[in-house]
Amino acid sequence: MHLHILVTLLLFGVISMTVTDIVLVQAYESHATEGAIANVRSYSSKIINKIAEAGAITTSSTNEILQELEDAALFYDGRIILVNSKLVIVADTYDSEVGKTLISEEAIRCLKGSANTYTSTSGVDIFTELTLPIADSTTKEVIGVFIIRASLADVFETKASLIQISGIILSFMFLILFALALIYSYRLTRPLKRVIETIDHVSEGYLEDKVSMKGYYEIVKISDSFNVMLDKINKLEESRQEFVSNVSHELKTPMTSMKVLADSLLQQENLPEELYREFLTDINDEIERENKIITDLLALVKLDKKSGEMHIAQVSINELLEITLHRLKPIAQKHNIEMIFESFRNVVAEVDEVKMSLALSNLIENAIKYNVEGGWVKVSLNSNHKYVFIRVSDSGIGIPEEEQEMIFERFYRVDKTRARATGGTGLGLAITKNVVLMHKGSIKVNSKENEGTTFTLRIPLSFSFTTRETV
Ligand code: ADP
């Protein structure tokens, strides 16, 4: 990139400077040439007037102004020829052709009144040649031709030195441009290099590295975004570590209990059979608990594998809730809890049936588990043109306000001993929330201690609509 910026700036600078230089030199050339020609023409018209005043064009009549013509020819570093109406040369500053007849197309045309200008700028001959008619001042009849050739060498010499000087200036400017391009490209790429270095460092595992860059707005933005991303990675890493430690702890607890139970059985001899039975029943409970934690964990891990694995179908939410309630009825009956299902309409939504069933049964099961003897659980279903609304309310123990935010976190339990007694793993609501998010829905909790809890779910009716919005 450094080289790329450098070359681009240099190319741009060199091309624009060279083009400007060429344009300027060309402009000078045409301007100076035109000026020189105008000068010759103005001199010529003056001398032509003088000749015309004399009346006739003869060798003797022109002899008077010959000196003047010679001076002019010398001044213009050229030649002047005067031709009469018979095309006979009457005056020539080179003196060699006097008396001869001039056979030239321009001269013939000039006798008919048309002037001609010829300019040669190529090769060694750099000159302008004007062929002008001499008209009688009274009759206006063409009485001769005035031919003047003037050198334009001066113009081209100046042009050559101009090119030389501009060449020197261009080289000098090129050097300055090169230095500026070098500094500029370095300044532009240096912060990016630092970002790359930090990214490399972070990739090696140094997650606490941060970049702080000043200068261009975009560069500052890159460094800010990078730091935000780094913060997110750090938080993710933290929650991963916390999750691993929670998992280890949760899996270890039943193991420790089993070890204690097994040890006490082994240390004592000749124990009565009932005691063996009692201890083994406890060990069996712990195994079941361990099993439940692992099952929940696997369910959670599966859900984490992005929504690509969703098996979306048109599902009757009424039926789904009825089946779930029916399945959980025996547990509710055990605690004398009344189950109420209230449906305002038939709702069919695009959901993953297995995942949604898991999410809903977690909510209903909690409503039963954290309820009071003889309480109630009410599930209500409604919808509008866009969403399904499911409410699971209970008359249970409620959740303290300060804990309501945390209950969706993995392994979070309000009352650890009670949750343990009810067989809770602390993963149920985390699973439910994941399922809801995978359906692009939302979940809210409303609860008062010792009065009851209400969970409200809002799920979009159409899954494709939600994915189109987010993909
Ligand atoms: P658990 O397996 O412990 O039930 P959850 O993730 O399902 O785990 O719930 C987390 C905690 O939230 C529970 O331990 C419980 O303290 C509290 N909780 C969940 N639902 C209710 C409810 N309906 N009433 C009271 N407390 C609840």
Side-chain angles (χ1 to χ4, degrees), residues 1-3 5-6 9 179-193 216:
M1 190 175 164
H2 187 46
L3 197 72
I5 295 172
L6 188 74
L9 285 176
L180 285 178
L182 207 65
I183 294 167
Y184 183 67
S185 61
Y186 176 71
R187 278 196 55 176
L188 212 64
T189 51
R190 190 184 49 175
L192 296 176
K193 267 190 199 149
Y216 298 107

Side-chain angles (χ1 to χ4, degrees), residues 48-49 51-53 55 57 132-145:
I48 285 170
N49 283 344
I51 298 165
E53 270 167 27
I57 300 173
L132 306 164
I134 306 168
D136 189 296
S137 45
T138 45
T139 61
K140 304 285 174 212
E141 212 176 284
V142 180
I143 52 171
V145 177

Side-chain angles (χ1 to χ4, degrees), residues 268-285:
Q268 295 169 51
E269 275 169 34
N270 304 323
L271 284 173
E273 200 196 313
E274 304 88 72
L275 211 67
Y276 270 110
R277 257 187 194 287
E278 197 191 318
F279 275 40
L280 281 176
T281 311
D282 288 346
I283 291 178
N284 198 32
D285 287 349

Side-chain angles (χ1 to χ4, degrees), residues 100-129:
K100 289 184 185 167
T101 305
L102 180 75
I103 302 167
S104 132
E105 244 180 74
E106 282 90 15
I108 295 167
R109 258 191 271 128
C110 198
L111 277 177
K112 289 177 187 153
S114 68
N116 180 61
T117 306
Y118 169 76
T119 306
S120 159
T121 53
S122 60
V124 212
D125 281 340
I126 300 170
F127 64 90
T128 183
E129 191 175 280

